[in-house]
Amino acid sequence: VLRNAVHVEEAEVEKCVRDVMKEKKIEQKDTGFKTNLHISLLQISGYKKLYLNVENLRKVPYDSDNEEHEEQLIELWNLLMPHESLKARITKQWCDIGFQGDDPKTDFRGMGLLGLVNLVYFSKHYTNEARQILSHSNHPKLGYSYAIVGINLTEMAYSLLKNGALKSHLYNMVSGLPQMEHFHQFYCYLVYEFDKFWFEEEPESIMHFNQYREKFHEKIKGLLLDCDVILTLQN
């Protein structure tokens, strides 16, 4: 009964709680146990559902013929570079916010639309911080490619969700169903903390990026081992 209960939809949780209590001969009027089990089952099944939603977004390739995709890309530019207009859709200007070439769509290959949605979310909800970090990324000695690193951190957030490392964080943060919003919030935390980490570490050059990325990844994995952890960027 319990094994089945962790795979149920939200609407079926109430029935599962009753079934488990009946099976374990726990009084139905034990409201404390009932409430806690209800929340726990929502969190467990919700985590699985959140992973599927994130994975589905990751599987959507960036499509330059899709108006919504293009609008989000332009929105990203406008949020980060409010005083400078794009001269064309395909332009070297994209390098100013850390893309590799003159058409950002090629940089989204690994993480699909998820990479773009994350970048836009951070720029929209933490606009000042995003512009500040973009400014840091243009540092003459310690600079890095803002958008490329952002997509790389999407991969980190995604892999931590996929392997279950985000469970304690999300269970502590949400007493119910975790939503896509909560994944985006964790991503924002990663972007903000990575920028601090990078400048504290003072790498010799961007050529050492993978080494420092791995060090940062290990740091985050260590923090997530704390069963009381909540990693969020406060607005």
Side-chain angles (χ1 to χ4, degrees), residues 153-187:
L153 292 171
T154 289
E155 195 280 326
M156 189 181 293
Y158 163 77
S159 67
L160 290 166
L161 179 72
K162 185 179 182 179
N163 68 22
L166 287 189
K167 282 180 180 174
S168 290
H169 160 72
L170 285 171
Y171 293 169
N172 292 332
M173 194 179 176
V174 194
S175 60
L177 289 169
Q179 306 293 332
M180 186 68 86
E181 175 98 4
H182 301 116
F183 177 78
H184 293 328
Q185 286 286 341
F186 176 69
Y187 167 81

Side-chain angles (χ1 to χ4, degrees), residues 189-203:
Y189 170 86
L190 288 184
V191 176
Y192 189 78
E193 290 299 318
F194 179 81
D195 181 68
K196 281 201 301 189
F197 172 84
W198 182 261
F199 280 89
E200 282 163 9
E201 293 285 331
E202 296 188 349

Side-chain angles (χ1 to χ4, degrees), residues 6-217:
V6 298
H7 298 285
V8 297
E9 290 292 319
E10 185 180 1
E12 299 167 306
V13 168
E14 192 68 49
K15 180 183 180 300
C16 285
V17 169
R18 287 198 303 271
D19 291 347
V20 170
M21 291 177 77
K22 185 179 172 187
E23 194 72 28
K24 291 292 180 184
K25 299 182 172 57
I26 297 164
E27 291 283 333
Q28 293 288 336
K29 60 177 180 282
D30 186 343
T31 52
F33 180 85
K34 186 182 281 190
T35 302
N36 287 336
L37 181 59
H38 192 274
I39 289 170
S40 298
L41 291 179
L42 278 180
Q43 289 176 320
I44 294 166
S45 59
Y47 188 95
K48 293 173 180 176
K49 193 172 181 182
L50 174 62
Y51 167 68
L52 290 175
N53 290 340
V54 169
E55 173 67 351
N56 286 338
L57 193 54
R58 187 189 73 85
K59 283 180 180 170
V60 177
Y62 184 89
D63 179 5
S64 48
D65 293 325
N66 184 312
E67 208 173 301
E68 281 181 28
H69 295 190
E70 288 286 289
E71 280 172 6
Q72 285 188 74
L73 186 58
I74 302 302
E75 184 181 12
L76 177 66
W77 175 270
N78 291 335
L79 285 163
L80 292 172
M81 304 288 277
H83 305 302
E84 193 178 326
S85 297
L86 276 174
K87 294 180 174 63
R89 165 59 181 81
I90 294 177
T91 167
K92 284 277 183 276
Q93 284 176 286
W94 290 113
C95 298
D96 296 345
I97 60 171
F99 285 104
Q100 282 178 322
D102 53 9
D103 190 351
K105 76 172 186 181
T106 56
D107 294 326
F108 293 117
R109 278 180 193 146
M111 286 290 111
L113 203 58
L114 182 64
L116 176 58
V117 170
N118 272 168
L119 281 168
V120 171
Y121 185 95
F122 181 57
S123 302
K124 202 173 191 173
H125 292 82
Y126 300 95
T127 309
N128 292 336
E129 290 84 349
R131 289 175 188 168
Q132 193 177 17
I133 291 170
L134 175 62
S135 169
H136 293 172
S137 76
N138 290 320
H139 190 281
K141 184 172 180 291
L142 298 171
Y144 58 85
S145 300
Y146 176 83
I148 294 296
V149 170
I151 295 167
N152 204 291
L153 292 171
T154 289
E155 195 280 326
M156 189 181 293
Y158 163 77
S159 67
L160 290 166
L161 179 72
K162 185 179 182 179
N163 68 22
L166 287 189
K167 282 180 180 174
S168 290
H169 160 72
L170 285 171
Y171 293 169
N172 292 332
M173 194 179 176
V174 194
S175 60
L177 289 169
Q179 306 293 332
M180 186 68 86
E181 175 98 4
H182 301 116
F183 177 78
H184 293 328
Q185 286 286 341
F186 176 69
Y187 167 81
C188 294
Y189 170 86
L190 288 184
V191 176
Y192 189 78
E193 290 299 318
F194 179 81
D195 181 68
K196 281 201 301 189
F197 172 84
W198 182 261
F199 280 89
E200 282 163 9
E201 293 285 331
E202 296 188 349
E204 285 174 39
S205 83
I206 194 67
M207 302 306 288
H208 299 285
F209 175 77
N210 287 341
Q211 174 192 335
Y212 286 95
R213 179 206 188 274
E214 203 42 50
K215 191 175 177 183
F216 179 69
H217 194 188

Side-chain angles (χ1 to χ4, degrees), residues 219-231:
K219 179 186 175 182
I220 297 297
K221 284 195 284 189
L223 293 173
L224 290 168
L225 291 174
D226 177 0
C227 59
D228 295 318
V229 72
I230 298 181
L231 301 180

